[in-house]
Amino acid sequence: MKTKRILGILTAIMMLSVLSLGVPASAQDEIVINVVGMDQAGMTPEELDEIARLFEEQNPGVRVETSYVLYDGLHDLLVTSISSEPPAFDVVLVDDIWYAEFVDAGWLLDVTDRITDEMREGIFEAAWDITTVNGRVYGMPWLLDQKYFFYNTRLLEEAGFEEPPRTWEEVEEMSRVMKEMGLVEYPMIWSWAQIEAVICDFVTLLYGNNAEFFDENNQPVFNSPEGVEVLEWMVRMIDEGLVNPASITSAEEDVRNVFSQGQAAFATNWVYMYDLTQDPEESQVVGEVGMALMPVFESALEEGILSATIDGSMGYSVTAGSEHPDEAWAFIEFLTSEPIQIEYSAHQLPIWEDAFESEDLIALNPVTVPMFAEQFPWSHVRPKVPYYNEASRIIQVAIQEALTHAATPQEALDNAVEQILEVAAEYED
Amino acid sequence: MSDKAKNFIWRAFLYFCMLILLLLIFAPLAWLFISSISTRAELLSVPPHWWPHEPTLQNYLDILAPTETTSRTARNFRYALTNSIIVSGTVTLVSLIVGSLAAYAFARLRFRFRRSALLAFVSLRMLPAISIVIPLYVVLRGAGLLNTRTALILVYLSFTLPFVIWIMTSFFQSIPMELEDAARVDGCSRLGALWRVIIPVSRPGLVATGVFAFLLAWDEFFFALLFTSTPDAKTVPVAIAEFTGRHAIDFSAQATGGVLAAIPPVILALIFQRYIVQGLTAGAIKG
Amino acid sequence: MAPNGRRLSDYIRRLGNLEMNEGAFALILILPSVILTLGLILWPLANTFVMSLHESNLARPQRQDFVGFQHYIHFLGNRMFWETIGRTFYFTFVSVGIELVLGIAIAMLISAKLKGWRFLRTAVIIPWAVPTIVNGAIWRWIYNADYGALNGLLLQLGLIDKYIAWLVEPHRAMNLVILADVWHSAPFVVLIISAALVSLPVELYDAASIDGANGWQRFTRITLPLLRPAILVVLVIRTVEAFRVFDIIYIMTRGGPVNGTMVISYLTYQETFSYLHLGRGSALSFIVSAFIFLLALLYVKVLYTEDVAV
């Protein structure tokens, strides 16, 4: 009988908890727009939720249901959720590098005719490249981002440096001095985990050494002598203890944590990091963070390349099977409208060109806005090929092989190029 | 050295082992709990604060008693808890009913292919989820069942059902034939005997199997990861996995989710400890 | 309600009283299970095989070209595939091996009935009940390179002089994942072996004591042989589970660094849901099934030849 009583109690507890926890409520006459965004760089989920609430207030009868995942889970989530009928999401955040694949699969709504002249002319021309495939537009550019160079001003001062470094050779030299002075154990932190982030850093360094990632015909060429030099430099920095060895398992958020705790003098990250390093709840380096043009290697500087970085832009799109495409598009329009983009510019900058002349924007972001204008001309995109995800994974492993001495940089990159050509061959039809 | 001294040293050594063991069991759990009541800033301190200077229950409040300003992530975790309870509960109930019927037949009735059919069920339990996930995914997608609890309940039956059949068969076999025969003589039908005699007697078995099936369903991650992506059906393991990556900064939130996710199975396991051990022995060893 | 309920029970009684032959009755009882099993396991399994003979892409499901065994041939000649299989076996054997030895040792410790043994027996069950995903999250946090408890502890004890990035080196990452798995799964071994220990005949030990056998001899000559069936069962169950490991890899390392923790289930997941290669993913998953099927056969053989019958 004891069992029965325990079972009874347990059942009661369970019923109660189910009742009290509740389920996502949905009224009959309400239109629900399911949105998936990213819980990483760019606007924070809290900011996006706020925007969603504003939109709901202005559009009675429409409810916006938001979900957030990490960047590294986003691609796989999208392919398993938007290919269904009806898709799980109406509005999806798509990375620059996935547009080719998703459009190829027919998962995104062609919105070419919904783009107004005002949008076409007001938004950065380069931004449209993100969401355009074969001349058709499949979404609104949203996150216009690139990697920036951050440094800890206090550490640099203590080491006796007045100016931030312009070249990677200077970065290396300064790091060595700081390490020897005992100011910081590992002067540099990077995001070199086996994820897309390592590609971003690698591409940044590649173009900074006057090398190319993929050529204009979308052929992989990163195993050029300059490319190999870059990877050799990365390996050497880890071996000499100038780069934090935890970089090999770090993503952008790890970089931010280490840098925010004052445990690194140099870091690269997306624009969102700056504002968060100035938040005393998140950071111990408030007021000690400088941003500078991303350095390049000396040889490139001599050829007039002042800087090089990676373009990491993303767009918001409506899924092809969405049951409420008009409401979904209305939400995207709202999300990307100029006033909203200016108001929520702390962690990502607007896509609207004239916003950068607005004094509001500059007043809100006195450091990042001028930096954007200076850095953007030196930004490089990754190739738009339908097999990008697979190619990227191959290069991630190759880089890590070299970093952990499982292969020499030359071997690793040659091998990666060979494998990518094999994959590419499978897509030729 | 005398035997007595030897014995003393040996016992001291055993106590020492026991101590270490308990430490190894509880330290990670304690750290999970401590992390859940720490602020983000304290979690990032070097060296760690083994006990937070300013412990806070805010993370728990966010999930269990959300207000207007609570983040949607915390709110969605509540939905995930609900989904997990509903899915695991339903799966347990359905597989107990359906599985016990089959188990009764395997244990009590004589028919052709009895042995081979039972063996087939036993070996199906071994199949990895990955070998059936792709067609299931394609079918569920076609039927518009992705992101529904129904889909998870159906799919979870694929591993709880063979399990229930397997364990309940051995339970039924351990019940003396005479009990049932006596009932039949008293005028009970077959079903009547099953309902009035066999089921009450095998209640410990049913409880153990049910708890076990519940734990299996609660723990399941792979199907849930692929078949659910919205708060409508997402379960607790998926919700927790999505916290990672921001692990340093948000680990306090993730740890809170972890504590909440671990409480139901741990309590069940502790309450039904005796039954689980019995069930395991009966099911695993007697086959 | 009452009359209705009455009629229903009457109906059921009559149904049972029909005294149909046992075979038909058995069929009725088994049918729901068979239908569910066919639909949820066997049909998908067959479908996986058919799909593995085709070239198809999740992005373009309408296009399916028959390619025969090409995917299988592709993998059998692929270095990465064999490395992954090797890693999966490493994970399986090392984790199961440690769990077994540790599990038996802990079970023996419990059976020594020192003060507090009941508490120990209860405590041991807890790690097993903690969900796998939570387990992975705990250990990932403990191993964290910059803020982890492991680094903090070792540093304060003076065992290391600076923080170590534990999951950076591929082999070490694998071993640390195994450690996390052992914490979670060794209790299962303890549970089963403990239960088996309780049912061992006491007389044998008394006889052995009279013969003057010492503790270790009693353990190796009496206990272990008697535990054989239980050990075999645990061995096979854990081997099968370890071979299909996915959850803990997904949450702790995602197969990295340098594919150091890339196991076969994760590779299959990646091939199917990151690269969208349905055909190739199906072939991989069918290969996994084949390995597991062999293990399952072994299991059935062990179960039903060891002086136990169905």
Side-chain angles (χ1 to χ4, degrees), chain A residues 68-236:
Chain A
Y68 303 97
V69 293
L70 295 161
Y71 173 82
D72 294 293
L74 186 58
H75 175 270
D76 295 1
L77 173 77
L78 288 179
V79 301
T80 53
S81 63
I82 65 176
S83 57
S84 59
E85 288 288 338
F89 299 105
D90 303 282
V91 174
V92 289
L93 179 62
V94 182
D95 196 2
D96 182 22
I97 46 184
W98 306 330
Y99 267 100
E101 179 187 14
F102 290 3
V103 167
D104 191 47
W107 292 337
L108 303 179
L109 190 70
D110 184 338
V111 293
T112 315
D113 302 330
R114 294 179 191 247
I115 308 293
T116 63
D117 289 346
E118 192 198 346
M119 292 176 185
R120 208 177 288 283
E121 279 149 27
I123 294 171
F124 279 104
E125 214 180 313
W128 286 114
D129 291 345
I130 305 165
T131 58
T132 306
V133 179
N134 301 327
R136 307 294 294 176
V137 182
Y138 291 91
M140 279 295 269
W142 175 69
L143 174 66
L144 208 53
D145 211 349
Q146 52 189 344
K147 277 218 164 172
Y148 295 87
F149 184 70
F150 294 82
Y151 61 96
N152 183 311
T153 52
R154 184 181 52 83
L155 287 173
L156 255 66
E157 261 168 45
E158 283 174 17
F161 300 113
E162 279 160 18
E163 291 290 316
R166 295 300 311 275
T167 64
W168 292 116
E169 283 85 351
E170 283 173 34
V171 172
E172 181 184 336
E173 192 44 46
M174 289 180 175
S175 297
R176 192 162 286 129
V177 170
M178 282 186 266
K179 190 178 173 84
E180 276 161 16
M181 289 173 75
L183 291 175
V184 56
E185 175 71 39
Y186 301 112
M188 284 183 256
I189 176 80
W190 293 81
S191 51
W192 289 349
Q194 191 171 329
I195 50 176
E196 186 63 24
V198 68
I199 303 292
C200 295
D201 288 352
F202 180 60
V203 172
T204 297
L205 291 167
L206 272 183
Y207 285 93
N209 197 29
N210 208 3
E212 268 191 307
F213 188 40
F214 282 59
D215 66 11
E216 65 270 21
N217 301 318
N218 283 335
Q219 296 296 308
V221 290
F222 50 79
N223 62 340
S224 61
E226 293 81 9
V228 175
E229 268 173 36
V230 162
L231 189 50
E232 281 166 356
W233 183 80
M234 291 164 71
V235 174
R236 193 161 55 80

Side-chain angles (χ1 to χ4, degrees), chain B residues 176-218:
Chain B
M177 207 60 159
E178 297 79 43
L179 265 181
E180 201 186 348
D181 290 343
R184 294 293 305 278
V185 169
D186 286 351
C188 271
S189 67
R190 250 186 227 291
L191 268 176
L194 172 60
W195 180 249
R196 290 199 203 126
V197 179
I198 303 289
I199 298 288
V201 171
S202 39
R203 202 171 53 217
L206 285 170
V207 171
T209 316
V211 169
F212 231 105
F214 188 89
L215 295 188
L216 283 180
W218 187 270

Side-chain angles (χ1 to χ4, degrees), chain C residues 148-222:
Chain C
L150 182 63
N151 271 332
L153 187 70
L154 294 179
L155 191 78
Q156 286 186 340
L157 292 177
L159 295 174
I160 52 175
D161 54 2
K162 62 185 178 197
Y163 274 21
I164 293 174
W166 295 102
L167 295 175
V168 159
E169 205 272 312
H171 282 290
R172 191 164 61 199
M174 179 57 114
N175 290 332
L176 290 174
V177 172
I178 288 176
L179 195 66
D181 188 63
V182 167
W183 187 80
H184 182 56
S185 302
F188 174 78
V189 182
V190 178
L191 286 181
I192 295 222
I193 300 292
S194 285
L197 275 177
V198 172
S199 60
L200 292 188
V202 188
E203 312 85 57
L204 278 176
Y205 288 91
D206 295 341
S209 300
I210 295 164
D211 286 354
N214 66 24
W216 179 249
Q217 285 166 338
R218 280 202 301 271
F219 175 68
T220 52
R221 289 195 201 148
I222 304 175

Side-chain angles (χ1 to χ4, degrees), chain C residues 22 53 84 116 135 179 183 194 226 242 247 250 252 265 274 282:
Chain C
E22 285 198 0
L53 303 179
T84 306
N135 176 45
L179 195 66
W183 187 80
S194 285
L226 285 174
D247 302 4
Y250 181 92
M252 286 187 73
S265 291
S274 296
S282 301

Side-chain angles (χ1 to χ4, degrees), chain A residues 238-310:
Chain A
I238 289 225
D239 289 351
E240 293 183 14
L242 300 181
V243 164
N244 191 327
S247 296
I248 301 181
T249 52
S250 294
E252 288 93 335
E253 279 292 282
D254 305 287
V255 169
R256 175 164 81 84
N257 288 327
V258 171
F259 186 79
S260 299
Q261 300 301 309
Q263 289 164 11
F266 303 112
T268 69
N269 211 329
W270 311 101
V271 73
Y272 82 105
M273 177 158 104
Y274 182 78
D275 181 67
L276 293 173
T277 57
Q278 302 307 307
D279 176 353
E281 272 193 23
E282 300 270 347
S283 158
Q284 297 178 11
V285 294
V286 178
E288 296 173 356
V289 178
M291 285 175 85
L293 214 49
M294 187 71 79
V296 291
F297 287 93
E298 256 160 30
S299 56
L301 193 64
E302 281 161 16
E303 290 183 42
I305 297 168
L306 300 184
S307 177
T309 191
I310 179 90

Side-chain angles (χ1 to χ4, degrees), chain A residues 49 70 80 83 88 254 257 282, chain B residues 72 137 141 147 244 247-248:
Chain A
D49 283 348
L70 295 161
T80 53
S83 57
D254 305 287
N257 288 327
E282 300 270 347
Chain B
R72 295 203 184 186
Y137 174 79
R141 185 174 75 173
N147 295 306
T244 59
H247 53 109

